Amino acid sequence: VQLVESGGGLVQAGGSLRLSCAGSGSTFSINDMGWYRQAPGKLRELVAVITIDGGTTSYRDSVKGRFTISRDNAKKTMYLQMNSLKPEDTAVYYCNAVPYSGEYWGQGTQVTVSS
């Protein structure tokens, strides 16, 4: 499985971005998937999770009510809608299975939120 993230950028606090994760291979459709992020000097953390059928989602407390994860298995694509962005959301964002697989990590997409 190859996962390619896109959609990051520079945005002011309070702004929005929509990230996309394009997958290849059949494995995309048979795994719970998630968005992870890693800020400079910090460990990579799981931000949001979506089940195989998209029916259940979960979020870390710091993004609840602001971020929305979704997926389209037919297109092998997953999304992360990020609203009301804060400077502390600045990080490189990655998509991967949940639990993650080391071989699935892509290059990530940089999100920078200015204050």
Side-chain angles (χ1 to χ4, degrees):
V1 174
Q2 181 180 12
L3 300 172
V4 179
E5 303 90 349
S6 63
L10 173 63
V11 63
Q12 290 187 331
S16 298
L17 285 173
R18 189 192 194 205
L19 306 183
S20 296
C21 169
S24 62
S26 59
T27 313
F28 183 89
S29 303
I30 59 173
N31 279 288
D32 293 349
M33 296 292 294
W35 282 97
Y36 302 75
R37 67 185 181 187
Q38 186 167 20
K42 296 188 177 181
L43 296 175
R44 194 168 298 184
E45 62 185 17
L46 181 60
V47 175
V49 181
I50 187 165
T51 52
I52 295 171
D53 64 356
T56 302
T57 59
S58 61
Y59 303 88
R60 68 182 306 110
D61 287 346
S62 60
V63 307
K64 282 181 181 177
R66 300 188 297 121
F67 289 12
T68 303
I69 188 172
S70 61
R71 67 191 293 172
D72 184 337
N73 287 340
K75 295 182 178 179
K76 296 181 181 178
T77 304
M78 181 174 67
Y79 306 96
L80 185 67
Q81 177 67 43
M82 306 187 296
N83 299 327
S84 302
L85 283 161
K86 303 177 180 180
E88 50 263 44
D89 294 318
T90 295
V92 179
Y93 284 71
Y94 303 86
C95 57
N96 205 319
V98 177
Y100 68 81
S101 172
E103 65 182 295
Y104 294 171
W105 291 120
Q107 295 299 308
T109 186
Q110 175 71 49
V111 172
T112 303
V113 184
S114 63
S115 57

